[in-house]
């Protein structure tokens, strides 16, 4: 579901590994999701490197406890892949969402598409900068059904968020789930409670959409955000990091 919530421009597969390419725009959309172990692991890694290099993208794998094969992390380390971006995956069950009938925040707008102010704020803080890369970024942002939140103060967008709506792939846990992305506040507008306000609006909308649960991904180093998410009821369910091929001399 996390993969579907942040869709890559191009996808491929190598014997059970899911490949994602998006012109280098965001690591998640340009990395390998090692779902099932290929018979020839070293050969598959070499093919990954060739496919990424052909697109001028640094080869990278998204690694967690479910990555296959189990020894993939050590194999990548031996080939010069470095660890980066340790990230927590946190979840909130649908039964713990706020009452859908709760009063909405008049300062937060919710839309089915991101407007120019939303995009400007996101790109100014998270990138990318070039027009070509921004077209790719917009594809990723709008490539799945989602809700886009804008907190406005005196007519200016000060904080944003995105809630992707994704159907569960697991037949044992049917329903639609919400993926929380792009929680951004203007630097000069921080410490005004904007993140909390927009998060409450997101969770209220998730409740209105009757989602079975909400997930988010947060860097382990972002202590302030982790504390806020904990106060809102989120709990860590898993974690991951990336193994990226270091430049060779």
């Amino acid at each position: 579901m996390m993969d579907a919530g942040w869709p890559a421009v191009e996808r491929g597969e190598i014997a059970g590994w899911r490949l994602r390419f998006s012109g280098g725009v965001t690591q998640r959309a340009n990395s390998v999701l090692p779902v099932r172990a290929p018979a020839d692991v070293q050969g598959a890694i070499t093919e990954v490197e060739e496919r990424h290099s052909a697109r001028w993208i640094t080869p990278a794998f998204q690694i967690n406890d479910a990555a296959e094969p189990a020894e993939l992390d050590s194999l990548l380390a031996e080939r010069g892949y470095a660890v980066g971006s340790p990230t927590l995956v946190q979840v909130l069950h649908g039964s713990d969402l706020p009452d859908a009938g709760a009063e909405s925040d008049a300062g937060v707008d919710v839309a089915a598409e991101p407007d120019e102010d939303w995009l400007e704020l996101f790109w100014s803080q998270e990138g990318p900068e070039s027009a070509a890369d921004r077209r790719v970024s917009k594809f990723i942002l709008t490539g799945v059904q989602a809700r886009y939140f804008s907190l406005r103060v005196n007519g200016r967008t000060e904080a944003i968020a995105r809630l992707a709506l994704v159907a569960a792939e697991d037949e044992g846990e049917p329903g639609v789930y919400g993926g929380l992305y792009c929680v951004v506040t203007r630097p000069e507008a921080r410490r005004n409670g904007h993140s909390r306000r927009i998060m409450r609006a997101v969770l209220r909308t998730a409740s209105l959409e009757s989602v079975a649960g909400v997930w988010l991904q947060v860097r382990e180093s972002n202590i302030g955000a982790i504390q806020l998410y904990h106060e809102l009821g989120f709990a860590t369910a898993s974690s991951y990091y990336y193994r990226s091929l270091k430049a060779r001399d």
Side-chain angles (χ1 to χ4, degrees), residues 89-101:
V89 178
Q90 299 195 318
V91 297
L92 180 66
H93 195 274
S95 61
D96 295 323
L97 289 168
D99 183 358

Side-chain angles (χ1 to χ4, degrees), residues 21 43-57 59 81:
F21 307 106
I45 296 174
T46 297
E47 187 173 348
V48 165
E49 293 174 356
E50 291 173 349
R51 291 199 192 184
H52 279 73
S53 296
R55 294 166 174 79
W56 297 91
I57 298 171
Y81 282 72

Side-chain angles (χ1 to χ4, degrees), residues 10-225:
E10 179 188 357
R11 294 177 180 273
E13 186 170 320
I14 298 176
W17 286 353
R18 188 176 302 172
L19 277 61
R20 301 173 290 190
F21 307 106
S22 299
V25 178
T26 78
Q27 194 165 31
R28 186 182 302 120
N30 291 275
S31 60
V32 178
L33 196 61
V35 181
R36 293 181 300 277
D40 179 4
V41 179
Q42 294 288 4
I45 296 174
T46 297
E47 187 173 348
V48 165
E49 293 174 356
E50 291 173 349
R51 291 199 192 184
H52 279 73
S53 296
R55 294 166 174 79
W56 297 91
I57 298 171
T58 300
F61 288 74
Q62 188 175 349
I63 303 294
N64 64 10
D65 290 342
E68 293 289 346
E71 66 272 18
L72 177 60
D73 184 72
S74 60
L75 293 175
L76 293 173
E78 291 172 1
R79 293 177 67 125
Y81 282 72
V83 171
S85 305
T87 300
L88 302 179
V89 178
Q90 299 195 318
V91 297
L92 180 66
H93 195 274
S95 61
D96 295 323
L97 289 168
D99 183 358
E103 184 177 354
S104 61
D105 188 330
V108 179
D109 295 334
V110 186
E113 297 285 339
D115 62 18
E116 290 304 313
D117 289 341
W118 195 103
L119 293 169
E120 179 276 326
L121 175 52
F122 180 70
W123 288 332
S124 70
Q125 300 304 307
E126 303 291 330
E129 296 183 0
S130 74
D133 285 349
R134 287 186 173 187
R135 285 193 291 272
V136 174
S137 176
K138 188 173 182 180
F139 174 92
I140 294 170
L141 291 167
T142 61
V144 65
Q145 184 182 11
R147 302 290 179 261
Y148 303 85
F149 299 78
S150 301
L151 190 157
R152 306 186 197 276
V153 179
N154 297 324
R156 185 189 193 204
T157 301
E158 300 284 35
I160 59 170
R162 170 181 178 265
L163 181 71
L165 300 173
V166 179
E169 295 181 359
D170 187 348
E171 295 181 358
E173 298 182 15
V176 173
Y177 288 75
L180 180 60
Y181 298 85
C182 311
V183 181
V184 176
T185 299
R186 291 190 189 278
E188 63 271 25
R190 291 171 184 166
R191 294 185 173 83
N192 289 309
H194 293 340
S195 294
R196 186 179 296 275
R197 283 180 63 188
I198 207 161
M199 282 292 300
R200 290 191 182 281
V202 169
L203 297 182
R204 178 180 179 275
T205 297
S207 184
L208 288 170
E209 297 281 353
S210 300
V211 303
V214 178
W215 82 83
L216 60 85
Q217 295 136 296
V218 57
R219 291 283 185 90
E220 288 184 3
S221 59
N222 195 344
I223 303 303

